[in-house]
């Protein structure tokens, strides 16, 4: 998996105190790793800082709550990583 | 400060939205029920109330910068340090600056000093949410009372 995944997995492991080996690209941050909303904000802060981006959490939450997008699109780590990569690419474009 | 009412900030001295910075003043009262227990015969401002004071300065900064559109709620305290005692009748200078504005959250660094000496500092994290019912007007009223345009 990408270096982005490694960075994100490291952040999750450190921030949420989850053994690194339990974190895979298929992991669902909430259902599999048990990350709660406050811990997810701490992770978002570390991700924002590490990649120089701003994860659009409010927009994502609204889309999930309104049923427009399944939560897996944002909270399964391989999908989260793809969105981080897209935000980084948009920043440097 | 009205400690028992959690009104910690008395006056906003300056605010700079662009720089993401606020300076405020807090006058520790001569007497308060808080001092009767903390501690008997030796009144000291509790560290937890210094933290609340820094959180409120940060909160007013975020509120003002967001045009009172959303409400910041304290969700985390990082590396809080209380470097000296504070008793009654002390004037506190409180500053806060935004370290990061995320989506749905914000991070600040805040400090308290008195007479030029640093008293306390902490990193603070806030969840930023829509105002609960009726809270918006009350926060605006309180902000105006301490000299913040709202």
């Amino acid at each position: 998996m990408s270096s982005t995944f490694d960075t994100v997995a490291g952040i999750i492991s450190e921030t949420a105190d989850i053994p690194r080996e339990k974190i895979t690209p298929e992991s669902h941050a909430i259902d599999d790793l048990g990350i709660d909303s406050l811990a997810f904000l701490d992770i978002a802060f570390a991700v924002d800082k590490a990649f120089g981006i701003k994860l659009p959490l409010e927009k994502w939450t609204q889309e999930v709550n309104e049923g427009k997008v399944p939560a897996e699109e944002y909270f399964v780590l391989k999908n989260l990583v793809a969105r981080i990569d897209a935000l980084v690419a948009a920043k440097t474009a | 400060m009205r400690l028992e009412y959690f009104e910690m900030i008395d006056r906003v001295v300056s605010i700079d939205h662009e720089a993401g910075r606020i300076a405020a003043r807090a006058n520790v009262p001569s007497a308060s029920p808080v001092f009767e227990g903390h501690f008997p015969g030796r009144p000291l401002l509790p560290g937890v109330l210094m933290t609340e004071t820094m959180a409120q300065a940060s909160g007013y900064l975020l509120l003002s910068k967001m045009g009172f559109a959303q409400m910041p709620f304290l969700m985390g305290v990082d590396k809080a340090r209380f470097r000296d005692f504070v008793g009654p009748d002390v004037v506190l200078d409180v500053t806060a600056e935004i370290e990061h504005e995320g989506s749905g959250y914000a991070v600040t660094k805040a400090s308290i000093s008195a007479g030029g000496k640093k008293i306390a500092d902490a990193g603070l994290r806030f969840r930023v949410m829509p105002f609960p019912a009726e809270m918006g007007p009350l926060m605006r009223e309180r902000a105006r009372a301490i000299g913040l345009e709202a």
Side-chain angles (χ1 to χ4, degrees), chain A residues 25-89:
Chain A
E26 304 300 328
S27 300
H28 189 298
I30 299 164
D31 297 344
D32 298 328
L33 301 178
I35 296 168
D36 64 27
S37 58
L38 282 187
F40 200 83
L41 291 179
D42 286 335
I43 290 164
F45 177 42
V47 167
D48 282 3
K49 273 205 305 187
F51 294 97
I53 58 173
K54 183 172 173 175
L55 290 179
L57 297 183
E58 288 173 302
K59 177 172 170 279
W60 292 358
T61 304
Q62 187 177 351
E63 288 173 354
V64 170
N65 289 344
E66 291 174 355
K68 291 179 179 167
V69 179
E72 291 75 16
E73 282 298 313
Y74 299 128
F75 295 113
V76 169
L77 295 192
K78 66 181 180 186
N79 298 333
L80 177 64
V81 164
R83 289 176 189 281
I84 291 169
D85 283 339
L87 287 165
V88 171

Side-chain angles (χ1 to χ4, degrees), chain B residues 1-149:
Chain B
M1 299 173 106
R2 294 209 302 163
L3 303 181
E4 56 276 26
Y5 292 97
F6 268 57
E7 292 179 359
M8 314 308 281
I9 302 296
D10 291 311
R11 202 74 197 160
V12 171
V13 177
S14 66
I15 187 163
D16 183 337
H17 288 172
E18 201 169 318
R21 193 177 301 135
I22 191 171
R25 184 93 15 105
N27 304 304
V28 183
S30 302
S32 163
V34 170
F35 292 144
E36 292 171 18
H38 195 279
F39 294 96
R42 176 79 160 99
L44 292 174
L45 184 66
V48 69
L49 293 185
M50 293 190 212
T51 305
E52 176 65 20
T53 302
M54 293 187 280
Q56 289 192 14
S58 300
Y60 284 120
L61 169 60
L62 292 166
L63 271 170
S64 177
K65 190 155 191 272
M66 295 184 297
F68 286 78
Q70 290 181 293
M71 178 72 189
F73 291 96
L74 182 63
M75 72 167 191
V77 179
D78 298 321
K79 293 182 183 170
R81 295 289 182 273
F82 308 103
R83 302 175 188 282
D84 206 351
F85 296 119
V86 175
D89 297 316
V90 175
V91 177
L92 302 177
D93 295 308
V94 190
T95 62
E97 59 183 68
I98 297 171
E99 184 184 350
H100 183 72
E101 274 184 289
S103 172
Y105 76 98
V107 181
T108 68
K109 282 185 176 170
S111 66
I112 295 174
S113 59
K117 185 179 182 190
K118 188 174 268 194
I119 300 290
D121 47 273
L124 303 166
R125 298 187 188 203
F126 297 84
R127 171 177 274 198
V128 177
M129 301 171 73
F131 272 110
E134 310 298 326
M135 196 171 174
L138 292 170
M139 290 307 301
R140 282 177 182 272
E141 188 182 329
R142 178 65 194 146
R144 279 192 288 266
I146 61 169
L148 191 60
E149 247 179 64

Side-chain angles (χ1 to χ4, degrees), chain A residues 9-25:
Chain A
I11 287 170
I12 290 172
S13 176
E14 190 174 330
T15 306
D17 199 20
I18 295 170
R20 173 64 182 82
E21 62 273 15
K22 282 193 176 176
I23 304 168
T24 73

